[in-house]
Amino acid sequence: MRLKLLACEILYREICAVVARSVNQVDVEFLPKGLHDIGHEGMGRRLQEALASVNTSAYEAVLFGYALCNNGLVGLTAPSIPLVIPRAHDCITLFLGSKERYWEYFQSHPGVYFQTSGWIERGENTQQHSPDSIAAKSGMLLSYEEMAAKYGEDNAKFLYEQLCNILRNYSGITYIDMGIEPDDRFERRAKERAAEKGWKYEKLAGDMTLFQALVDGPWDAERFLVVPPGHRVAPSFDDSIIKAVPAAP
């Protein structure tokens, strides 16, 4: 099969690795991580625009290297060929190989901040935030000094704690080792960050199974949603996470 894959750049190394081993011809287009920061409506528009630019006559399906991602995929409508999307709330499910494994770990490790090679090298750059991003509009990118100058010292203390200290509820870093990293630089950075914050550190073995299944197929209904032409993505509000419903006429 010849397939088109639209993926978040956070998954860059993993996607490249599985595409190189795939039995299919997969043409990949990476989109910036910053899409997550403009809200679900803005993200949905950008993804639909990227989908609209695909030459559907050249492919048998369009794959998405995305999870539900705060409803960023909701409303995405399949053109003349199917869409294939992993059943996952966010990308950590992809890194861990299944939504069941993610849920089990999440339940036993509250307050954990996950790190991968992609999140370290591509996910922490505030230059990705456009003026339309939620972070920019809410003031989350302002320094404490900028807030104090704009709102006064008392207000700045409160605003900085509420808006800017987004990691205040975390107590640990879990680095997911996918087995494709060139060396230990990403793990070292995760360890350093945990030490800097006085957090617990843990290393967890990742699982490439979902990534490989996405680009290889066939796509079983338990792990993937196949959206037929003329249908759109909707949340299912159950363990299946997403579903396909007829698009509005």
Side-chain angles (χ1 to χ4, degrees):
M1 289 189 292
R2 186 180 182 190
L3 306 168
K4 177 72 175 185
L5 172 56
L6 302 175
C8 176
E9 65 174 337
I10 292 297
L11 313 179
Y12 197 99
R13 289 177 181 267
E14 291 77 14
I15 291 293
C16 289
V18 295
V19 166
R21 297 194 297 263
S22 181
V23 296
N24 298 313
Q25 178 182 345
V26 186
D27 297 336
V28 185
E29 179 180 344
F30 288 103
L31 301 174
K33 176 265 175 189
L35 293 188
H36 292 77
D37 305 316
I38 60 177
H40 66 91
E41 291 183 357
M43 180 178 176
R45 284 195 301 271
R46 291 287 300 276
L47 290 176
Q48 193 69 56
E49 289 170 1
L51 178 58
S53 69
V54 173
N55 177 11
T56 54
S57 65
Y59 303 101
E60 294 180 53
V62 180
L63 317 178
F64 277 83
Y66 282 92
L68 182 58
C69 297
N70 292 322
N71 290 327
L73 268 63
V74 170
L76 199 64
T77 302
S80 57
I81 57 175
L83 311 180
V84 181
I85 305 170
R87 295 188 186 276
H89 285 292
D90 61 43
C91 64
I92 304 304
T93 292
L94 304 183
F95 293 121
L96 295 185
S98 73
K99 58 183 185 292
E100 291 80 15
R101 186 184 179 208
Y102 177 26
W103 179 246
E104 180 181 347
Y105 189 87
F106 181 79
Q107 288 289 93
S108 60
H109 295 76
V112 162
Y113 187 80
F114 291 96
Q115 297 257 269
T116 66
S117 62
W119 278 106
I120 291 171
E121 69 181 348
R122 296 176 184 272
E124 299 178 343
N125 183 3
T126 57
Q127 292 179 357
Q128 296 186 77
H129 293 291
S130 71
D132 294 329
S133 71
I134 293 172
K137 288 182 176 179
S138 66
M140 292 171 66
L141 302 183
L142 294 176
S143 67
Y144 177 81
E145 291 74 17
E146 290 171 328
M147 283 192 170
K150 190 172 184 178
Y151 302 112
E153 287 285 346
D154 291 339
N155 290 329
K157 290 178 182 177
F158 174 79
L159 290 172
Y160 190 80
E161 177 64 24
Q162 297 301 312
L163 295 177
C164 302
N165 189 13
I166 59 175
L167 300 180
R168 64 183 179 277
N169 295 321
Y170 292 93
S171 59
I173 284 179
T174 293
Y175 174 73
I176 305 175
D177 185 347
M178 300 303 297
I180 58 169
E181 298 79 3
D183 49 39
D184 67 345
R185 75 185 74 170
F186 302 114
E187 182 183 359
R188 283 190 282 107
R189 177 65 189 109
K191 281 184 178 179
E192 290 168 1
R193 188 169 188 182
E196 289 167 2
K197 295 184 174 297
W199 288 356
K200 297 177 182 178
Y201 172 80
E202 184 172 351
K203 180 179 177 179
L204 190 63
D207 187 333
M208 296 286 284
T209 300
L210 271 179
F211 287 107
Q212 197 69 59
L214 175 64
V215 298
D216 284 352
W219 304 289
D220 58 279
E222 175 65 24
R223 296 182 298 169
F224 298 97
L225 172 68
V226 178
V227 184
H231 288 65
R232 61 180 174 83
V233 179
S236 62
F237 304 108
D238 58 23
D239 289 342
S240 61
I241 303 175
I242 48 178
K243 62 182 180 181
V245 299

mmCIF file of all heavy atoms in Angstrom, residues 196-224:
data_model
loop_
_atom_site.group_PDB
_atom_site.id
_atom_site.type_symbol
_atom_site.label_atom_id
_atom_site.label_comp_id
_atom_site.label_asym_id
_atom_site.label_seq_id
_atom_site.Cartn_x
_atom_site.Cartn_y
_atom_site.Cartn_z
ATOM 1 N N GLU A 196 17.308 18.920 39.255
ATOM 2 C CA GLU A 196 17.151 20.362 39.419
ATOM 3 C C GLU A 196 15.893 20.711 40.212
ATOM 4 O O GLU A 196 15.871 21.676 40.980
ATOM 5 C CB GLU A 196 17.088 21.033 38.047
ATOM 6 C CG GLU A 196 18.408 21.039 37.286
ATOM 7 C CD GLU A 196 18.219 21.417 35.825
ATOM 8 O OE1 GLU A 196 17.067 21.699 35.423
ATOM 9 O OE2 GLU A 196 19.212 21.421 35.078
ATOM 10 N N LYS A 197 14.846 19.928 40.024
ATOM 11 C CA LYS A 197 13.575 20.213 40.674
ATOM 12 C C LYS A 197 13.369 19.418 41.960
ATOM 13 O O LYS A 197 12.362 19.580 42.642
ATOM 14 C CB LYS A 197 12.422 19.923 39.697
ATOM 15 C CG LYS A 197 12.419 20.852 38.492
ATOM 16 C CD LYS A 197 11.215 20.610 37.591
ATOM 17 C CE LYS A 197 11.168 21.647 36.475
ATOM 18 N NZ LYS A 197 10.996 23.022 36.982
ATOM 19 N N GLY A 198 14.313 18.556 42.274
ATOM 20 C CA GLY A 198 14.175 17.734 43.455
ATOM 21 C C GLY A 198 13.094 16.678 43.319
ATOM 22 O O GLY A 198 12.473 16.268 44.304
ATOM 23 N N TRP A 199 12.890 16.225 42.094
ATOM 24 C CA TRP A 199 11.848 15.244 41.808
ATOM 25 C C TRP A 199 12.438 13.833 41.743
ATOM 26 O O TRP A 199 13.636 13.643 41.564
ATOM 27 C CB TRP A 199 11.195 15.533 40.458
ATOM 28 C CG TRP A 199 10.317 16.738 40.427
ATOM 29 C CD1 TRP A 199 9.975 17.547 41.467
ATOM 30 C CD2 TRP A 199 9.687 17.297 39.264
ATOM 31 N NE1 TRP A 199 9.152 18.561 41.038
ATOM 32 C CE2 TRP A 199 8.955 18.421 39.690
ATOM 33 C CE3 TRP A 199 9.650 16.936 37.918
ATOM 34 C CZ2 TRP A 199 8.206 19.202 38.810
ATOM 35 C CZ3 TRP A 199 8.914 17.699 37.033
ATOM 36 C CH2 TRP A 199 8.198 18.828 37.480
ATOM 37 N N LYS A 200 11.547 12.849 41.877
ATOM 38 C CA LYS A 200 11.932 11.460 41.656
ATOM 39 C C LYS A 200 12.193 11.248 40.162
ATOM 40 O O LYS A 200 11.623 11.926 39.316
ATOM 41 C CB LYS A 200 10.817 10.528 42.114
ATOM 42 C CG LYS A 200 10.509 10.593 43.600
ATOM 43 C CD LYS A 200 9.333 9.674 43.931
ATOM 44 C CE LYS A 200 8.975 9.766 45.403
ATOM 45 N NZ LYS A 200 7.800 8.910 45.739
ATOM 46 N N TYR A 201 13.045 10.288 39.888
ATOM 47 C CA TYR A 201 13.345 9.969 38.492
ATOM 48 C C TYR A 201 13.156 8.473 38.271
ATOM 49 O O TYR A 201 13.518 7.647 39.119
ATOM 50 C CB TYR A 201 14.781 10.350 38.125
ATOM 51 C CG TYR A 201 15.178 9.862 36.743
ATOM 52 C CD1 TYR A 201 14.801 10.555 35.609
ATOM 53 C CD2 TYR A 201 15.897 8.668 36.593
ATOM 54 C CE1 TYR A 201 15.126 10.090 34.342
ATOM 55 C CE2 TYR A 201 16.236 8.204 35.331
ATOM 56 C CZ TYR A 201 15.849 8.924 34.217
ATOM 57 O OH TYR A 201 16.169 8.451 32.972
ATOM 58 N N GLU A 202 12.580 8.131 37.125
ATOM 59 C CA GLU A 202 12.433 6.723 36.754
ATOM 60 C C GLU A 202 12.585 6.585 35.246
ATOM 61 O O GLU A 202 12.165 7.459 34.491
ATOM 62 C CB GLU A 202 11.066 6.182 37.192
ATOM 63 C CG GLU A 202 10.898 4.690 36.911
ATOM 64 C CD GLU A 202 9.637 4.107 37.522
ATOM 65 O OE1 GLU A 202 8.967 4.818 38.305
ATOM 66 O OE2 GLU A 202 9.314 2.943 37.212
ATOM 67 N N LYS A 203 13.194 5.481 34.855
ATOM 68 C CA LYS A 203 13.327 5.154 33.445
ATOM 69 C C LYS A 203 12.398 3.999 33.126
ATOM 70 O O LYS A 203 12.337 3.008 33.861
ATOM 71 C CB LYS A 203 14.780 4.770 33.132
ATOM 72 C CG LYS A 203 15.037 4.403 31.677
ATOM 73 C CD LYS A 203 16.511 4.058 31.504
ATOM 74 C CE LYS A 203 16.828 3.602 30.087
ATOM 75 N NZ LYS A 203 18.268 3.287 29.926
ATOM 76 N N LEU A 204 11.662 4.140 32.033
ATOM 77 C CA LEU A 204 10.673 3.140 31.653
ATOM 78 C C LEU A 204 10.925 2.704 30.220
ATOM 79 O O LEU A 204 11.156 3.541 29.341
ATOM 80 C CB LEU A 204 9.272 3.743 31.791
ATOM 81 C CG LEU A 204 8.062 2.821 31.671
ATOM 82 C CD1 LEU A 204 8.066 1.784 32.782
ATOM 83 C CD2 LEU A 204 6.781 3.648 31.723
ATOM 84 N N ALA A 205 10.873 1.421 29.961
ATOM 85 C CA ALA A 205 11.062 0.921 28.599
ATOM 86 C C ALA A 205 9.833 1.215 27.770
ATOM 87 O O ALA A 205 8.703 0.925 28.171
ATOM 88 C CB ALA A 205 11.330 -0.576 28.630
ATOM 89 N N GLY A 206 10.032 1.837 26.616
ATOM 90 C CA GLY A 206 8.932 2.107 25.702
ATOM 91 C C GLY A 206 8.599 0.885 24.874
ATOM 92 O O GLY A 206 9.223 -0.180 25.010
ATOM 93 N N ASP A 207 7.619 1.048 24.009
ATOM 94 C CA ASP A 207 7.155 -0.064 23.180
ATOM 95 C C ASP A 207 6.779 0.504 21.811
ATOM 96 O O ASP A 207 5.903 1.357 21.708
ATOM 97 C CB ASP A 207 5.941 -0.723 23.842
ATOM 98 C CG ASP A 207 5.491 -1.988 23.146
ATOM 99 O OD1 ASP A 207 5.721 -2.127 21.931
ATOM 100 O OD2 ASP A 207 4.877 -2.844 23.808
ATOM 101 N N MET A 208 7.416 0.014 20.768
ATOM 102 C CA MET A 208 7.200 0.530 19.425
ATOM 103 C C MET A 208 6.029 -0.143 18.700
ATOM 104 O O MET A 208 5.764 0.139 17.535
ATOM 105 C CB MET A 208 8.475 0.332 18.594
ATOM 106 C CG MET A 208 9.680 1.113 19.098
ATOM 107 S SD MET A 208 9.568 2.879 18.758
ATOM 108 C CE MET A 208 9.949 2.875 17.000
ATOM 109 N N THR A 209 5.321 -1.013 19.388
ATOM 110 C CA THR A 209 4.284 -1.826 18.747
ATOM 111 C C THR A 209 3.231 -1.001 18.028
ATOM 112 O O THR A 209 2.878 -1.275 16.872
ATOM 113 C CB THR A 209 3.597 -2.733 19.788
ATOM 114 O OG1 THR A 209 4.580 -3.593 20.377
ATOM 115 C CG2 THR A 209 2.515 -3.579 19.135
ATOM 116 N N LEU A 210 2.676 0.012 18.701
ATOM 117 C CA LEU A 210 1.616 0.817 18.088
ATOM 118 C C LEU A 210 2.137 1.612 16.899
ATOM 119 O O LEU A 210 1.435 1.765 15.892
ATOM 120 C CB LEU A 210 0.990 1.755 19.116
ATOM 121 C CG LEU A 210 -0.186 1.223 19.924
ATOM 122 C CD1 LEU A 210 -0.676 2.274 20.916
ATOM 123 C CD2 LEU A 210 -1.331 0.815 19.005
ATOM 124 N N PHE A 211 3.343 2.137 17.020
ATOM 125 C CA PHE A 211 3.926 2.876 15.902
ATOM 126 C C PHE A 211 4.046 1.982 14.671
ATOM 127 O O PHE A 211 3.671 2.372 13.558
ATOM 128 C CB PHE A 211 5.307 3.419 16.277
ATOM 129 C CG PHE A 211 5.294 4.574 17.227
ATOM 130 C CD1 PHE A 211 5.677 4.411 18.543
ATOM 131 C CD2 PHE A 211 4.912 5.833 16.800
ATOM 132 C CE1 PHE A 211 5.683 5.483 19.424
ATOM 133 C CE2 PHE A 211 4.909 6.914 17.661
ATOM 134 C CZ PHE A 211 5.299 6.733 18.978
ATOM 135 N N GLN A 212 4.578 0.775 14.865
ATOM 136 C CA GLN A 212 4.779 -0.116 13.732
ATOM 137 C C GLN A 212 3.451 -0.571 13.148
ATOM 138 O O GLN A 212 3.289 -0.656 11.916
ATOM 139 C CB GLN A 212 5.606 -1.332 14.157
ATOM 140 C CG GLN A 212 6.211 -2.104 12.982
ATOM 141 C CD GLN A 212 7.307 -1.310 12.277
ATOM 142 O OE1 GLN A 212 8.311 -0.931 12.903
ATOM 143 N NE2 GLN A 212 7.134 -1.043 10.983
ATOM 144 N N ALA A 213 2.485 -0.851 14.021
ATOM 145 C CA ALA A 213 1.173 -1.286 13.537
ATOM 146 C C ALA A 213 0.478 -0.187 12.749
ATOM 147 O O ALA A 213 -0.251 -0.460 11.785
ATOM 148 C CB ALA A 213 0.305 -1.722 14.714
ATOM 149 N N LEU A 214 0.700 1.061 13.136
ATOM 150 C CA LEU A 214 0.080 2.181 12.432
ATOM 151 C C LEU A 214 0.530 2.232 10.979
ATOM 152 O O LEU A 214 -0.287 2.428 10.069
ATOM 153 C CB LEU A 214 0.412 3.498 13.138
ATOM 154 C CG LEU A 214 -0.075 4.783 12.461
ATOM 155 C CD1 LEU A 214 -1.597 4.825 12.406
ATOM 156 C CD2 LEU A 214 0.470 6.023 13.183
ATOM 157 N N VAL A 215 1.821 2.059 10.734
ATOM 158 C CA VAL A 215 2.332 2.191 9.366
ATOM 159 C C VAL A 215 2.245 0.889 8.574
ATOM 160 O O VAL A 215 2.302 0.912 7.340
ATOM 161 C CB VAL A 215 3.787 2.720 9.355
ATOM 162 C CG1 VAL A 215 3.851 4.099 9.982
ATOM 163 C CG2 VAL A 215 4.735 1.761 10.069
ATOM 164 N N ASP A 216 2.092 -0.237 9.260
ATOM 165 C CA ASP A 216 2.037 -1.526 8.577
ATOM 166 C C ASP A 216 0.616 -1.989 8.272
ATOM 167 O O ASP A 216 0.351 -2.544 7.202
ATOM 168 C CB ASP A 216 2.725 -2.612 9.413
ATOM 169 C CG ASP A 216 4.239 -2.524 9.363
ATOM 170 O OD1 ASP A 216 4.764 -1.725 8.560
ATOM 171 O OD2 ASP A 216 4.896 -3.249 10.132
ATOM 172 N N GLY A 217 -0.329 -1.767 9.239
ATOM 173 C CA GLY A 217 -1.638 -2.366 9.101
ATOM 174 C C GLY A 217 -1.513 -3.885 9.208
ATOM 175 O O GLY A 217 -0.404 -4.415 9.359
ATOM 176 N N PRO A 218 -2.629 -4.643 9.099
ATOM 177 C CA PRO A 218 -4.012 -4.130 9.076
ATOM 178 C C PRO A 218 -4.369 -3.507 10.417
ATOM 179 O O PRO A 218 -3.729 -3.799 11.435
ATOM 180 C CB PRO A 218 -4.836 -5.394 8.798
ATOM 181 C CG PRO A 218 -4.007 -6.514 9.343
ATOM 182 C CD PRO A 218 -2.584 -6.127 9.094
ATOM 183 N N TRP A 219 -5.386 -2.634 10.430
ATOM 184 C CA TRP A 219 -5.702 -1.842 11.607
ATOM 185 C C TRP A 219 -6.894 -2.436 12.349
ATOM 186 O O TRP A 219 -8.053 -2.275 11.925
ATOM 187 C CB TRP A 219 -5.966 -0.402 11.174
ATOM 188 C CG TRP A 219 -4.803 0.158 10.413
ATOM 189 C CD1 TRP A 219 -3.594 0.498 10.916
ATOM 190 C CD2 TRP A 219 -4.737 0.428 9.010
ATOM 191 N NE1 TRP A 219 -2.762 0.966 9.916
ATOM 192 C CE2 TRP A 219 -3.441 0.934 8.726
ATOM 193 C CE3 TRP A 219 -5.654 0.294 7.955
ATOM 194 C CZ2 TRP A 219 -3.034 1.304 7.449
ATOM 195 C CZ3 TRP A 219 -5.244 0.650 6.672
ATOM 196 C CH2 TRP A 219 -3.957 1.152 6.426
ATOM 197 N N ASP A 220 -6.608 -3.134 13.447
ATOM 198 C CA ASP A 220 -7.672 -3.754 14.225
ATOM 199 C C ASP A 220 -8.470 -2.688 14.966
ATOM 200 O O ASP A 220 -7.937 -1.644 15.379
ATOM 201 C CB ASP A 220 -7.093 -4.758 15.220
ATOM 202 C CG ASP A 220 -6.081 -4.127 16.172
ATOM 203 O OD1 ASP A 220 -4.910 -3.962 15.777
ATOM 204 O OD2 ASP A 220 -6.482 -3.766 17.287
ATOM 205 N N ALA A 221 -9.752 -2.946 15.152
ATOM 206 C CA ALA A 221 -10.671 -1.982 15.751
ATOM 207 C C ALA A 221 -10.362 -1.710 17.219
ATOM 208 O O ALA A 221 -10.751 -0.668 17.757
ATOM 209 C CB ALA A 221 -12.115 -2.473 15.613
ATOM 210 N N GLU A 222 -9.671 -2.626 17.886
ATOM 211 C CA GLU A 222 -9.339 -2.442 19.296
ATOM 212 C C GLU A 222 -8.330 -1.310 19.482
ATOM 213 O O GLU A 222 -8.420 -0.530 20.428
ATOM 214 C CB GLU A 222 -8.775 -3.741 19.869
ATOM 215 C CG GLU A 222 -8.286 -3.651 21.309
ATOM 216 C CD GLU A 222 -9.380 -3.372 22.318
ATOM 217 O OE1 GLU A 222 -10.554 -3.684 22.032
ATOM 218 O OE2 GLU A 222 -9.055 -2.820 23.388
ATOM 219 N N ARG A 223 -7.381 -1.188 18.563
ATOM 220 C CA ARG A 223 -6.304 -0.203 18.727
ATOM 221 C C ARG A 223 -6.403 1.000 17.796
ATOM 222 O O ARG A 223 -5.776 2.036 18.064
ATOM 223 C CB ARG A 223 -4.951 -0.883 18.517
ATOM 224 C CG ARG A 223 -4.625 -1.960 19.534
ATOM 225 C CD ARG A 223 -3.252 -2.554 19.300
ATOM 226 N NE ARG A 223 -3.165 -3.213 17.990
ATOM 227 C CZ ARG A 223 -2.023 -3.635 17.436
ATOM 228 N NH1 ARG A 223 -0.883 -3.438 18.068
ATOM 229 N NH2 ARG A 223 -2.037 -4.236 16.254
ATOM 230 N N PHE A 224 -7.188 0.881 16.713
ATOM 231 C CA PHE A 224 -7.235 1.953 15.721
ATOM 232 C C PHE A 224 -8.667 2.258 15.304
ATOM 233 O O PHE A 224 -9.511 1.359 15.234
ATOM 234 C CB PHE A 224 -6.425 1.573 14.481
ATOM 235 C CG PHE A 224 -4.970 1.346 14.742
ATOM 236 C CD1 PHE A 224 -4.478 0.063 14.933
ATOM 237 C CD2 PHE A 224 -4.081 2.409 14.808
ATOM 238 C CE1 PHE A 224 -3.141 -0.169 15.181
ATOM 239 C CE2 PHE A 224 -2.740 2.201 15.063
ATOM 240 C CZ PHE A 224 -2.262 0.904 15.252
#
